[in-house]
Amino acid sequence: MARARKTITPDPYAKPIAKPLPPEQSLPGHLKQFQSPTRANFELVSPYGAAGDQPKAIEELTRGFESGEQFQTLLGVTGSGKTFTMANVIKNVGKPTLILTHNKTLAAQLYQEFKAFFPHNAVEYFVSYYDYFQPEAYIPHTDTFIEKDASINDEIDKLRLRATANLLTRRDVIIVASVSCIYGLGSPSEYFDLMVRIKKGDVYDRDKILHDLVRIQYTRNDFSLERGSFRVHGDVIEIHPSYDEEGLRIELFGDEVDRLVRFNIITGEVTQEMDEMTIAPAKHFVTKEEGRAGILQRMQVELTERLAELDKEGKVLESARLSSRTRYDMEMIRETGMCSGIENYSRIIENRAPGTRPFTLIDYFGDDWLLMVDESHVSIPQVGGMAEGDKSRKTTLVQYGFRLPCALDNRPMNFAEFEYMYPKQVLFVSATPGDYELTKTGGVVTEQINRPTGLLDPKIEMFPIKGQMDVLLYRIEEVVKNGDRVLVTTLTKK
């Protein structure tokens, strides 16, 4: 029998919940909505239908969002099919969706499940792209500077870029993300403006197309078409987007675009004829060539002010160190538009005020979207704990002249900023919702207890410690007599 919505009384002694910043204190706010506000068409494909408590839960959650409820909680036991319920709610609501979870392993599992449910829609994966990451740090008492060292997973980098590219070009998008989504990513408006758009039949100068590709960090390689590169043979330009498995081919007749196609990188076989083509930047942190002068000017102003502070404090070594490192980065940005650790200058690049939060993946969603927090009792506290550790490490770098003060603003969002970014529809999903979720929903949850398979939880019996081995051996003998096997788990090796 299906369970109805249930009211659970929040714990009155729970830790106070951080209040969201009022709009006038949160900078910047939501960006303009890039996508059309029309309802997204999600096509759910599944060999089975909803069963158990799923139909009731789907109906209640859909009705709740349609009636204007901002926060809802789905309380579902393990194995009750919460993922399938979430998929149906996404289909019914019809908005770009962010599914936030607390680790890469669970995110990968959800990504595979949602790709199976929505094979005809854009289901994307957004987690940290580092296989190994040693952040830049300085240990004052041993005078040890640790250079940033990282190994980037090329496949995950491609998936991250594809996620943002799809968010700015279509609405039927589902992104499964870890807390990496609250870290700085670069301005979505800058990223959107830098996209190269080509239409069949329009007139383009070939050299202008090549210049535009270089400007958005693609490299020319006429021998091997690798990810994030392009090659040119006469009037044919072939591009391997940094976010795609297939290539794009532009065929010119003079200065007119004669043909646009997608093709298989390995075989060269044409897979799709196109009337219009959009090529997104090869990296998230890319600067416009015409805007570099302003960026460099702002960097120089901050450098001059910081050097004056260090000189006044008598910190000669720190002053010389900061001057050398920053001027080298400025020269790299002037010549190439990039430098190592460019994310540390994100506040200057985006021309934000000191102390303001960075742009994140959430900004790419615009104003009309759906947030689902999976395993919310773990994910929500994790979001709240990311900012402080980052701040402590970077404060030391700034104090000892390794970075400009703007590096402090290359950080994850704090919890109050995260709350301010909540969309109009938020679903917390957990088998054990925490006090935060229950308070947000007034203690009202949608329960999903009965499994679609009809299977029940196994019977659990508890015995006192005294004589436990005798009881265990007796039970084992009973099972063995029936020809079955036994698994015994213990707390420790001893």
Side-chain angles (χ1 to χ4, degrees):
M1 181 176 178
R3 309 292 182 91
R5 289 167 74 87
K6 182 178 179 181
T7 301
I8 299 176
T9 305
D11 182 1
Y13 300 103
K15 185 179 178 181
I17 298 166
K19 295 181 180 180
L21 296 175
E24 63 272 12
Q25 288 180 274
S26 185
L27 296 172
H30 291 297
L31 297 182
K32 66 178 182 179
Q33 173 71 314
F34 292 117
Q35 306 97 335
S36 164
T38 55
R39 188 179 184 279
N41 181 28
F42 288 101
E43 185 179 345
L44 177 57
V45 177
S46 174
Y48 49 83
D53 279 350
Q54 289 175 334
K56 185 76 171 177
I58 294 166
E59 180 188 349
E60 289 176 354
L61 293 171
T62 303
R63 188 170 61 245
F65 284 137
E66 289 176 347
S67 65
E69 290 187 36
Q70 182 178 11
F71 300 101
Q72 296 193 85
T73 298
L74 173 61
L75 189 161
V77 300
T78 303
S80 63
K82 296 189 292 293
T83 304
F84 188 62
T85 298
M86 294 163 67
N88 276 273
V89 172
I90 291 171
K91 175 179 176 291
N92 294 342
V93 172
K95 292 183 179 181
T97 303
L98 172 63
I99 300 171
L100 174 63
T101 190
H102 60 91
N103 65 52
K104 284 185 176 182
T105 304
L106 182 55
Q109 177 187 329
L110 289 171
Y111 172 62
Q112 293 298 331
E113 291 182 23
F114 278 99
K115 275 189 75 71
F117 285 140
F118 298 100
H120 307 300
N121 302 110
V123 179
E124 307 299 347
Y125 184 60
F126 192 96
V127 299
S128 170
Y129 54 23
Y130 295 113
D131 286 331
Y132 165 76
F133 180 64
Q134 170 61 59
E136 189 178 53
Y138 178 65
I139 306 172
H141 66 274
T142 59
D143 190 27
T144 303
F145 175 68
I146 303 170
E147 285 277 6
K148 176 180 174 180
D149 185 19
S151 173
I152 293 178
N153 186 304
D154 195 60
E155 182 67 19
I156 295 179
D157 185 35
K158 179 187 75 177
L159 294 174
R160 285 166 60 97
L161 287 159
R162 190 169 72 189
T164 51
N166 280 334
L167 272 176
L168 297 184
T169 55
R170 56 195 294 182
R171 276 185 62 79
D172 60 329
V173 181
I174 300 169
I175 296 184
V176 182
S178 67
V179 290
S180 181
C181 69
I182 68 170
Y183 279 78
L185 194 62
S187 167
S189 57
E190 188 95 346
Y191 185 83
F192 183 76
D193 291 341
L194 283 167
M195 287 181 171
V196 177
R197 297 168 179 82
I198 309 290
K199 288 185 179 181
K200 184 177 178 180
D202 282 1
V203 175
Y204 295 91
D205 180 68
R206 192 196 74 151
D207 291 343
K208 174 66 165 57
I209 297 175
L210 302 184
H211 180 270
D212 287 344
L213 291 173
V214 171
R215 182 169 56 91
I216 60 174
Q217 297 299 313
Y218 282 83
T219 57
R220 181 168 179 170
N221 187 336
D222 289 341
F223 301 99
S224 176
L225 194 60
E226 298 173 348
R227 194 174 71 86
S229 69
F230 66 93
R231 65 187 175 198
V232 186
H233 296 295
D235 284 344
V236 177
I237 304 169
E238 292 183 337
I239 307 127
H240 189 176
S242 56
Y243 48 87
D244 208 339
E245 295 174 359
E246 293 189 317
L248 302 174
R249 182 181 297 141
I250 304 169
E251 297 181 12
L252 299 170
F253 185 76
D255 285 341
E256 182 181 341
V257 178
D258 188 51
R259 192 183 184 205
L260 298 173
V261 300
R262 289 174 64 89
F263 68 95
N264 186 294
I265 293 289
I266 305 299
T267 66
E269 178 187 359
V270 173
T271 58
Q272 182 186 355
E273 295 279 348
M274 306 172 72
D275 293 323
E276 187 174 351
M277 181 183 292
T278 300
I279 306 162
K283 296 179 174 65
H284 282 122
F285 287 97
V286 182
T287 61
K288 292 181 181 177
E289 193 170 346
E290 59 272 20
R292 289 178 197 170
I295 293 169
L296 294 169
Q297 184 179 14
R298 291 192 292 274
M299 288 179 68
Q300 182 62 58
V301 169
E302 181 150 332
L303 175 62
T304 302
E305 291 175 353
R306 181 57 180 159
L307 291 178
E309 292 175 5
L310 292 173
D311 291 340
K312 186 176 180 180
E313 295 169 7
K315 296 181 177 180
V316 180
L317 175 61
E318 288 84 351
S319 177
R321 178 189 292 146
L322 182 63
S323 177
S324 173
R325 291 171 62 91
T326 307
R327 292 185 195 284
Y328 175 78
D329 288 345
M330 290 172 66
E331 189 62 29
M332 289 297 294
I333 292 173
R334 179 181 290 109
E335 296 300 325
T336 68
M338 287 289 293
C339 74
S340 177
I342 192 172
E343 64 275 7
N344 288 293
Y345 304 109
S346 59
R347 191 245 293 164
I348 290 178
I349 292 170
E350 295 157 10
N351 201 16
R352 293 186 280 115
T356 54
R357 70 167 183 82
F359 291 105
T360 66
L361 175 71
I362 295 175
D363 289 287
Y364 285 71
F365 278 87
D367 295 326
D368 189 28
W369 57 291
L370 169 66
L371 171 63
M372 292 183 167
V373 185
D374 193 50
E375 301 294 351
S376 57
H377 64 287
V378 179
S379 300
I380 290 294
Q382 188 182 48
V383 169
M386 303 307 292
E388 288 304 315
D390 184 84
K391 180 180 178 181
S392 174
R393 177 176 60 84
K394 286 179 180 167
T395 298
T396 303
L397 289 170
V398 171
Q399 286 177 345
Y400 289 89
F402 289 95
R403 286 291 173 192
L404 286 176
C406 61
L408 294 170
D409 293 318
N410 169 45
R411 58 175 176 80
M413 288 193 291
N414 61 44
F415 195 67
E417 291 165 339
F418 176 73
E419 282 194 306
Y420 178 68
M421 295 296 288
Y422 277 151
K424 297 175 183 176
Q425 293 159 327
V426 180
L427 177 64
F428 301 111
V429 182
S430 175
T432 55
D435 299 319
Y436 177 84
E437 300 95 291
L438 298 178
T439 302
K440 282 290 187 184
T441 58
V444 178
V445 300
T446 296
E447 279 196 334
Q448 191 168 295
I449 305 299
N450 296 323
R451 295 178 172 86
T453 57
L455 293 175
L456 302 175
D457 284 326
K459 183 180 178 182
I460 298 175
E461 296 179 73
M462 299 182 68
F463 295 92
I465 294 177
K466 185 178 180 181
Q468 63 178 348
M469 291 305 298
D470 293 332
V471 174
L472 177 61
L473 291 170
Y474 173 74
R475 287 301 182 91
I476 289 174
E477 289 173 0
E478 284 187 325
V479 173
V480 172
K481 285 178 184 178
N482 294 329
D484 295 325
R485 292 180 288 181
V486 177
L487 172 66
V488 180
T489 60
T490 62
L491 187 62
T492 67
K493 290 180 181 181
K494 292 182 179 180

